[in-house]
Amino acid sequence: LLIAVDVGGTKVAIASYENTLTLLKVLRTPKEPSELLDLLEMELSELEPSEVSIATMGPIDMKRGVIFNNPHLKVPDFGLGKELTERLGVPVYMVNDCSAGAWAEAKVRDEENLVYVGFGTGVGVGVVVDGHLLLGKDGNAHEFGHVKIALEEDLPCGCGGTGHVESFLGGSNLRNFAESLGFRVKGGAEFFKLVKENATVFNKFKKVLRAFLASLANAYDPETIVLGGGVYFKNKEVFEKALEGFEKDKDIIVRPPRVEPSIYDDLSPLYGAALLAKDKPSYWIEKLVYLVDKGG
Ligand SMILES: [Zn+2]
């Protein structure tokens, strides 16, 4: 039995996959990294999987099977794939959650060039170019949420940098974004209420969002930019309004892509993790060196 898992900063989702995906459980992500490992070991061993594929928050080191430098985890190096492979005695694959999302959306749309953007606590990106999932030296070739778009504004990002796309659009940074424009909001819901009511805030939101998507279009030349993630789905109409006429933006130098919501809603990363485990593209599976190099 193939089990797919989506490990995020707030939620852990577990599904089985046999021709189709069946969502089994959604749990709260424990605060302590060791508790997260124990929880996954317990939940997964009960299911007696033959293989497990994890879509995870990043950044990741696919070779070592770890998440590193993650602002939500209290340890610099977290051996999610490596540890679980040892504990469960079956292969536990790892892929960035938005890369998995991109793979799922490219497959279901039968497209070779696609960018997936997940708007959640942070801003994640996954990229498929010429049918090939972009991975990079460790598995982070797509970290476009941390592109610096503001040189003068010192808005902090969860990663420790400033002026990144995520500094503005990341769910946990919306408060700071509003404050930089002279407004106080408690969280995401209040922020998007403000975006709807206030032209200054709306225009700034629109400007950042469009600059981000235009840059993605120019960098990867996709047929489609797929939008997903909890923050997006909760505020879909605001995003749509801000993106009206986007294809005519002067900042786009390539043939403009379509911009569409994800077909699998917030299950794209789970689908992608499962489909990658099914397809096992060689360039992906060969990167997971920890699977064969268990002794270290
Ligand atoms: Zn950042």
Side-chain angles (χ1 to χ4, degrees):
L1 183 66
L2 167 59
I3 297 295
V5 187
D6 183 0
V7 175
T10 50
K11 279 188 310 187
V12 174
I14 301 173
S16 64
Y17 187 86
E18 279 177 305
N19 303 316
T20 181
L21 191 90
T22 307
L23 185 63
L24 302 173
K25 242 176 203 180
V26 180
L27 305 157
R28 187 172 284 274
T29 308
K31 288 254 171 344
E32 292 294 326
S34 63
E35 285 173 30
L36 174 58
L37 273 181
D38 291 345
L39 177 79
L40 285 170
E41 182 187 5
M42 189 183 77
E43 295 288 342
L44 295 174
S45 59
E46 268 179 21
L47 298 167
E48 299 183 355
S50 54
E51 48 186 347
V52 177
S53 191
I54 305 185
T56 172
M57 54 187 167
I60 58 175
D61 182 341
M62 293 178 68
K63 289 180 224 142
R64 293 190 297 126
V66 304
I67 307 174
F68 65 96
N69 287 346
N70 182 287
H72 306 287
L73 293 167
K74 293 176 183 169
V75 289
D77 242 26
F78 178 59
L80 181 65
K82 187 182 189 301
E83 280 276 337
L84 284 175
T85 296
E86 281 164 18
R87 290 194 193 188
L88 297 171
V90 298
V92 179
Y93 318 122
M94 266 175 82
V95 63
N96 173 273
D97 47 11
C98 289
S99 292
W103 190 254
E105 293 290 328
K107 290 285 152 185
V108 70
R109 291 159 193 268
D110 196 22
E111 277 179 17
E112 297 237 299
N113 295 284
L114 177 143
V115 171
Y116 173 88
V117 186
F119 293 97
T121 316
V123 178
V125 176
V127 183
V128 175
V129 172
D130 297 329
H132 193 105
L133 185 65
L134 291 195
L135 295 174
K137 65 185 187 308
D138 299 320
N140 307 301
H142 47 75
E143 284 287 1
F144 223 92
H146 300 282
V147 159
K148 207 167 176 107
I149 54 162
L151 302 179
E152 308 301 334
E153 292 151 291
D154 288 332
L155 264 188
C157 185
C159 72
T162 58
H164 295 182
V165 169
E166 186 173 305
S167 307
F168 294 89
L169 302 180
S172 55
N173 298 325
L174 296 172
R175 259 177 62 179
N176 289 337
F177 181 15
E179 203 169 317
S180 76
L181 300 171
F183 297 91
R184 276 185 175 279
V185 296
K186 283 203 197 87
E190 275 188 25
F191 175 81
F192 281 98
K193 195 167 168 277
L194 180 66
V195 171
K196 277 186 219 165
E197 289 165 357
N198 185 288
T200 309
V201 182
F202 176 76
N203 284 329
K204 183 78 181 190
F205 171 76
K206 179 172 143 180
K207 219 171 170 178
V208 173
L209 180 65
R210 288 167 90 117
F212 176 40
L213 297 194
S215 302
L216 284 170
N218 294 342
Y220 301 119
D221 202 11
E223 293 286 353
T224 311
I225 296 179
V226 173
L227 307 183
V231 170
Y232 168 70
F233 279 109
K234 268 184 216 145
N235 307 285
K236 200 157 157 268
E237 73 290 356
V238 182
F239 278 81
E240 275 165 3
K241 188 159 175 247
L243 289 170
E244 267 170 23
F246 168 70
E247 65 284 351
K248 294 195 192 86
D249 271 16
K250 289 273 181 290
D251 286 327
I252 308 172
I253 61 149
V254 299
R255 180 166 60 81
R258 286 184 292 273
V259 180
E260 291 178 358
S262 74
I263 288 176
Y264 291 127
D265 284 342
D266 53 355
L267 296 182
S268 301
L270 272 177
Y271 269 97
L275 293 176
L276 275 165
K278 282 271 172 207
D279 301 341
K280 291 193 179 59
S282 59
Y283 60 86
W284 175 68
I285 200 84
E286 279 162 17
K287 204 151 225 149
L288 303 169
V289 178
Y290 65 92
L291 292 173
V292 286
D293 186 24
K294 286 179 201 156

